[in-house]
Amino acid sequence: MKYLQNKYFKIALAALIIFWAAYQFVQGNIGNGIALIFVSLIPILFYFRNEYILLTMLRLRKQDFEGMEKYLIKIIDPETALIKKQLGYYNYMFGVIYSRKNLTQAEKYFRKALQFGLSMSYDVAMVKLSLAGIMMQKRKKREAQDLLAEAKKLDKQNMMTEQIKMMQQQLKKI
């Protein structure tokens, strides 16, 4: 089962199916060739969107942190199974999980998520907001202020303005 998660295996499988489709075209089986071209899109899709990351995102929407952790643990060697942006979201999800358990671990995962990158500016803002909260708990006021300012810049839809204002008021008490 481990080889199904390897990104190179997915590309090789897609290439093999495309060669098989080309062979079917040469043999005159046009219908089979077209069907195989569509089948080859499945491994290519899962190369760019890991199925466990997608399932974890669904669990995040339902606030099911145990389910999130269950799916993330199933990714056996994330460095080979995931592309760079997926590694960012993998670390982001673990940061969310550990923010309830261990803030030091959560900070490590959130920093890794920023290092690998996230595709949505909202997600980057959420990570910076979470890091600002961790810095506030560690009494690092200056770093928390910087992270809050960056999160405010990235929050273009103004979805986190209330949380940012609340955290800024708490920072004044430190």
Side-chain angles (χ1 to χ4, degrees):
M1 199 65 174
K2 181 179 180 179
Y3 61 89
L4 289 176
Q5 292 184 14
N6 191 322
K7 60 185 173 186
Y8 301 114
F9 176 77
K10 292 174 186 176
I11 294 298
L13 180 64
L16 183 64
I17 294 172
I18 290 171
F19 285 133
W20 189 19
Y23 176 75
Q24 290 295 318
F25 283 126
V26 170
Q27 292 297 319
N29 300 325
I30 306 298
N32 289 349
I34 293 171
L36 286 170
I37 293 293
F38 286 122
V39 169
S40 72
L41 295 176
I42 294 171
I44 292 171
L45 171 74
F46 284 127
Y47 174 79
F48 292 108
R49 298 286 181 239
N50 187 286
E51 55 275 10
Y52 289 124
I53 297 290
L54 292 174
L55 290 170
T56 305
M57 289 283 201
L58 292 173
R59 293 292 177 192
L60 177 62
R61 286 185 180 201
K62 295 179 181 179
Q63 299 291 313
D64 179 15
F65 298 105
E66 291 81 24
M68 285 174 61
E69 191 169 15
K70 180 181 79 169
Y71 284 125
L72 287 175
I73 289 173
K74 287 185 180 182
I75 299 175
I76 302 166
D77 195 15
E79 284 77 25
T80 59
L82 305 173
I83 59 176
K84 190 175 179 180
K85 293 284 184 183
Q86 290 174 350
L87 276 170
Y89 280 100
Y90 174 83
N91 286 301
Y92 169 60
M93 297 296 173
F94 264 121
V96 169
I97 291 168
Y98 278 103
S99 64
R100 296 177 165 266
K101 300 176 184 178
N102 184 347
L103 289 179
T104 306
Q105 283 291 103
E107 178 187 1
K108 180 184 96 171
Y109 281 116
F110 282 137
R111 292 205 187 272
K112 273 188 178 179
L114 288 175
Q115 178 185 359
F116 286 116
L118 301 167
S119 52
M120 305 289 288
S121 64
Y122 175 80
D123 294 329
V124 176
M126 192 67 189
V127 168
K128 291 191 183 231
L129 186 67
S130 300
L131 276 172
I134 293 170
M135 292 302 115
M136 280 175 49
Q137 293 216 341
K138 290 185 172 185
R139 303 282 186 205
K140 296 182 179 179
K141 186 175 181 178
R142 185 70 192 147
E143 192 172 352
Q145 286 174 336
D146 293 341
L147 287 166
L148 276 177
E150 292 174 21
K152 191 173 185 177
K153 285 180 194 173
L154 291 168
D155 186 26
K156 295 173 184 162
Q157 292 92 13
N158 296 326
M159 297 175 73
M160 294 182 278
T161 52
E162 291 180 31
Q163 291 93 340
I164 292 172
K165 286 180 184 177
M166 183 180 69
M167 290 181 82
Q168 286 174 338
Q169 289 173 354
Q170 290 176 353
L171 268 174
K172 291 177 183 175
K173 296 177 184 176
I174 295 177

